[in-house]
């Protein structure tokens, strides 16, 4: 049995309508990983914009904490829509889409493993998301009041869980079995390694989520609603999927983009690649928080020393401290390793001719850099929340850390799209237009999150109302932040669409290697053909294209 299926043939039609129908059928039934990935990315961008719109509604309601336009049920469903949108509507499809589209090219593979399974995963995700929206509109989300809509909400999430489990299995299998000859695991590009960790996280987490949903669905559908507290039990038993640290797993591909772009930007080889692999893998430890269904940790803290109480309480307190250190500390350590890598590569150095190596900082790197920073800030904020002496539980602090992680992931994925646009579309985005959008996006992310960090310390509840008028300014800033992020994403999507759809076939493309890449995907044509490579390349190092360029340079001398 092979892990790579053949692509179905699509009959051409001489009529315009026939050609359009044939093109639509080709996209809807395609097993080309680049098309499937772009379907995920397109859906993720739409989901991100819709979720930002929900965040804007929430922010508008919070500007005046004493006068709410929404009733309790509508407010509850709006908050449910926010969580579902951030995780399943935006972050997961964006991360999965970029991984599906790019990873096989980096491996030198002709196709992704089990492409029809990946395509099925897209339709399960998309169908589940649509059903979730219907359920939320019918008061069926967390603590929903309509029993049938709550059942639909649970079933929809079960469908999405199966879809992402299928995607995860394909990603892991691809990295393990479809690498080009000579590409050992130590030579796998950083982004492809991050997709493997991301895929393994999905394989671990999604079946646990699906099993939990089965318990909740049976309990709620049967009418007993005692074992799992009916509709109110969704947050208690499945809420771990929509909050930190489980949500760190969606950021792994974005961190992989940052790690991938560092060597190409600073024009250097990465030493000690195993340490970078370990760092990306440590972020994947957050998936174990989902496997063990850890929703929160109550870690006592007194002054500058960990408070363990009397000797009889030591064992009990360690049970709280160790999971907190593992599920929050290890991912932060893993992401922090990339800082050391960046500092090492950014160190001034000279080439063989004695000339100073000047970095080539493009718009893709700017997106990836700021996305990485936002993710790291979200991780640190999440680590503070369980410290009980800070009294952050039940405040908007948790929402802020989730927004940091998801918006940071979106920035990182947009950086990846800018970087690999030549291979996906055969075009490059205008750097002068794209780079300001990265700055706008990071400014919006900071304003949409940091004020709620502050408001969390000032005890603003996660709900709607608050009585302290001093909190109003922070909620106004959050509203402005979400608006800026919406503007950034809309402008990016518009620029991407204009570049791709408005390009004339007679125009000269950007070339096969416009960014002086190091890895094998830059050896194929732009855009990459259906089967990626005319001839499967032989890999002799972690930077095969850089080796070839240096060898050619020596021969020319």
């Amino acid at each position: 049995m092979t892990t790579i299926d053949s692509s179905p043939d699509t009959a051409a039609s001489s009529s315009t309508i026939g050609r359009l129908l044939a093109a639509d059928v080709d996209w809807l039934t395609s097993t080309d990983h680049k098309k499937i990935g772009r379907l995920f990315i397109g859906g993720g961008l739409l989901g991100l914009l819709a979720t930002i719109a929900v965040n804007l509604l929430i922010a508008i309601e919070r500007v005046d904490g004493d006068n709410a336009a929404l009733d309790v049920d509508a407010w509850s469903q709006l908050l449910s829509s926010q969580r579902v949108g951030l995780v399943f509507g935006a972050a997961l499809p964006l991360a999965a889409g970029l991984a599906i589209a790019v990873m096989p090219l980096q491996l030198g593979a002709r196709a992704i493993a089990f492409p029809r399974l990946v395509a099925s995963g897209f339709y399960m995700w998309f169908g589940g998301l649509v059903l979730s929206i219907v359920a939320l509109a019918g008061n069926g989300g967390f603590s929903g009041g309509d029993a049938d809509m709550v059942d639909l909400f649970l079933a929809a999430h079960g469908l999405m869980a199966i879809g992402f489990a299928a995607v995860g299995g394909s990603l892991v299998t691809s990295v393990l079995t479809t690498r080009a000859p000579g590409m050992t695991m130590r030579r796998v590009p950083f982004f492809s390694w991050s997709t493997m960790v991301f895929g393994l996280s999905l394989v671990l987490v999604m079946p646990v989520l699906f099993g939990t949903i089965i318990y909740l669905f049976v309990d709620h559908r049967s009418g007993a609603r005692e074992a799992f507290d009916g509709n109110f039990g969704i947050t208690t038993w499945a809420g771990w999927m929509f909050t930190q640290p489980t949500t760190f797993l969606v950021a792994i591909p974005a961190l992989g983009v940052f790690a991938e772009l560092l060597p190409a930007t600073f024009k250097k080889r990465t030493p000690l690649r195993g340490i970078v692999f370990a760092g990306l893998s440590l972020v994947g430890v957050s998936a174990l928080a989902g496997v063990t269904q850890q929703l929160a940790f109550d870690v006592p803290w007194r002054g500058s020393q960990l408070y363990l109480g009397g000797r009889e309480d030591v064992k009990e307190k360690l049970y709280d401290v160790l999971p907190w250190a593992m599920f929050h500390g290890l991912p932060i350590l893993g992401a922090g390793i990339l800082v050391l890598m960046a500092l090492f590569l950014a160190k001034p150095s000279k080439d063989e001719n004695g000339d100073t190596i000047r970095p080539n900082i493009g718009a893709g790197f700017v997106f990836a850099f700021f996305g990485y920073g936002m993710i790291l800030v979200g991780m640190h904020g999440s680590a503070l929340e369980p410290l009980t002496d800070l009294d952050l539980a039940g405040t908007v602090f948790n929402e802020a850390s989730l927004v940091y992680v998801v918006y940071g992931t979106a920035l990182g994925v947009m950086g990846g799209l800018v970087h690999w646009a030549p291979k996906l579309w055969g075009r490059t985005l205008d750097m002068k237009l794209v780079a300001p959008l990265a700055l706008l996006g990071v400014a919006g992310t900071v304003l949409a999150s940091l004020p709620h960090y502050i408001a969390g310390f000032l005890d603003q509840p996660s709900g709607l109302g608050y009585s302290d008028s001093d909190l109003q300014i922070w909620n106004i800033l959050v509203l402005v932040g979400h608006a800026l992020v919406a503007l950034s994403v809309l402008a990016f999507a518009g620029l991407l669409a204009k570049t791709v759809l408005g390009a004339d076939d007679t125009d000269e493309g950007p070339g096969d290697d416009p960014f002086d890449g190091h890895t094998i995907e830059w050896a194929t044509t732009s855009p990459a053909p259906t089967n990626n490579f005319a001839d499967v390349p032989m890999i002799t190092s972690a930077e095969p294209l850089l080796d070839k360029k240096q060898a050619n340079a020596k021969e020319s001398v």
Side-chain angles (χ1 to χ4, degrees):
M1 177 180 177
T2 178
T3 61
I4 299 176
D5 302 326
S6 61
S7 299
D9 295 328
T10 302
S13 174
S14 59
S15 67
T16 302
I17 296 178
R19 287 195 299 270
L20 291 175
L21 290 176
D24 291 340
V25 171
D26 179 62
W27 270 90
L28 295 175
T29 62
S30 177
T31 57
D32 183 355
H33 67 93
K34 297 180 290 297
K35 290 184 177 180
I36 300 172
R38 281 178 281 179
L39 287 174
F40 266 113
I41 291 168
L45 287 175
L46 290 176
L48 177 61
L49 288 171
T51 305
I52 295 173
V54 171
N55 287 336
L56 285 170
L57 290 176
I58 293 174
I60 291 172
E61 281 290 283
R62 281 177 172 156
V63 167
D64 190 348
D66 294 329
N67 298 313
L70 299 176
D71 58 26
V72 175
D73 287 339
W75 177 251
S76 175
Q77 297 314 297
L78 202 60
L79 290 180
S80 300
S81 301
Q82 179 193 51
R83 294 282 173 167
V84 173
L86 287 172
V87 178
F88 279 97
L92 278 173
L94 286 174
L98 187 64
I100 293 167
V102 174
M103 176 265 294
L105 283 167
Q106 285 203 315
L107 297 178
R110 293 188 182 277
I112 196 170
F114 307 118
R116 289 188 175 90
L117 183 65
V118 178
S120 299
F122 167 76
Y123 287 111
M124 284 187 279
W125 162 74
F126 185 76
L129 184 63
V130 171
L131 293 177
S132 295
I133 295 172
V134 172
L136 289 165
N139 193 21
F142 302 132
S143 306
D146 188 296
D148 290 335
M149 290 295 103
V150 172
D151 290 339
L152 180 63
F153 181 79
L154 291 170
H157 276 75
L159 186 61
M160 289 192 289
I162 296 174
F164 279 115
V167 169
S170 175
L171 293 176
V172 174
T173 305
S174 295
V175 178
L176 294 178
T177 65
T178 67
R179 303 188 307 276
M183 182 178 288
T184 64
M185 290 301 292
R186 292 185 178 184
R187 293 173 178 174
V188 170
F190 292 134
F191 178 73
S192 293
W193 182 275
S194 72
T195 65
M196 184 184 69
V197 177
F198 173 66
L200 184 59
S201 299
L202 293 178
V203 170
L204 290 174
V205 169
M206 291 302 162
V208 177
L209 176 63
F210 183 72
T212 304
I213 288 173
I214 290 177
Y215 281 120
L216 292 170
F217 183 86
V218 172
D219 180 63
H220 188 268
R221 186 68 176 173
S222 65
R225 304 176 188 176
E226 295 179 357
F228 298 97
D229 198 21
N231 55 341
F232 295 99
I234 299 176
T235 303
T236 304
W237 297 99
W240 50 268
M241 186 66 234
F242 302 92
T243 189
Q244 294 68 252
T246 306
T247 51
F248 293 166
L249 69 89
V250 304
I252 297 174
L255 299 177
V257 173
F258 178 61
E260 187 69 44
L261 266 59
L262 278 171
T265 298
F266 293 102
K267 303 179 181 179
K268 298 178 184 176
R269 298 180 188 270
T270 305
L272 303 175
R273 291 173 57 86
I275 295 179
V276 181
F277 288 155
L280 293 171
S281 301
L282 284 175
V283 181
V285 172
S286 60
L288 298 179
V291 173
T292 56
Q293 302 187 47
Q294 297 287 340
L295 182 59
F297 315 95
D298 293 328
V299 182
W301 200 270
R302 296 291 172 87
S304 61
Q305 295 182 345
L306 188 65
Y307 177 68
L308 298 178
R311 294 177 60 88
E312 67 279 1
D313 295 333
V314 171
K315 186 176 180 180
E316 179 181 352
K317 300 304 180 183
L318 284 177
Y319 283 158
D320 293 325
V321 173
L322 292 179
W324 170 79
M326 178 178 180
F327 297 134
H328 286 281
L330 290 181
I332 291 174
L333 175 63
I337 288 176
L338 299 183
V339 173
L340 299 178
M341 174 186 172
L343 292 175
F344 180 86
L345 293 175
K347 183 179 178 181
S349 60
K350 299 182 181 297
D351 59 17
E352 296 178 353
N353 299 324
D355 299 326
T356 301
I357 300 177
R358 299 183 180 277
N360 181 22
I361 300 177
F365 178 78
V366 176
F367 267 107
F369 173 77
F370 284 125
Y372 166 77
M374 298 300 95
I375 293 168
L376 197 60
V377 173
M379 287 181 170
H380 280 85
S382 177
L384 291 177
E385 186 184 359
L387 305 182
T388 55
D389 286 356
L390 297 179
D391 292 328
L392 297 174
T395 69
V396 292
F397 194 92
N398 179 272
E399 177 185 320
S401 62
L402 177 59
V403 170
Y404 259 128
V405 171
V406 172
Y407 283 3
T409 298
L411 289 173
V413 170
M414 287 190 282
L417 290 177
V418 173
H419 183 66
W420 283 297
K423 296 305 168 188
L424 299 179
W425 294 285
R427 303 291 167 186
T428 55
L429 279 72
D430 190 337
M431 300 302 171
K432 294 181 180 179
L433 298 177
V434 176
L437 297 182
L439 300 177
L440 182 65
V442 72
T445 301
V446 172
L447 286 176
S449 307
L450 183 60
H452 270 174
Y453 270 5
I454 299 172
F457 279 101
L458 297 176
D459 300 326
Q460 179 179 336
S462 58
L464 175 59
Y466 57 86
S467 57
D468 189 352
S469 60
D470 292 337
L471 295 173
Q472 187 177 46
I473 182 60
W474 306 117
N475 291 279
I476 293 175
L477 291 176
V478 169
L479 174 61
V480 174
H482 287 304
L484 292 179
V485 174
L487 181 60
S488 174
V489 176
L490 271 173
F492 179 86
L495 180 61
L496 181 62
K498 179 182 178 182
T499 302
V500 174
L501 301 178
D504 189 342
D505 293 337
T506 61
D507 293 341
E508 293 186 3
D512 296 339
D513 185 17
F515 301 131
D516 197 19
H518 294 182
T519 45
I520 200 64
E521 73 269 22
W522 300 105
T524 190
T525 58
S526 296
T530 301
N531 293 326
N532 295 340
F533 295 90
D535 298 309
V536 178
M538 175 64 71
I539 306 301
T540 58
S541 74
E543 299 92 359
L545 212 57
L546 181 61
D547 292 341
K548 183 178 180 180
K549 294 172 183 176
Q550 292 179 346
N552 292 338
K554 290 181 180 180
E555 291 178 0
S556 63
V557 174

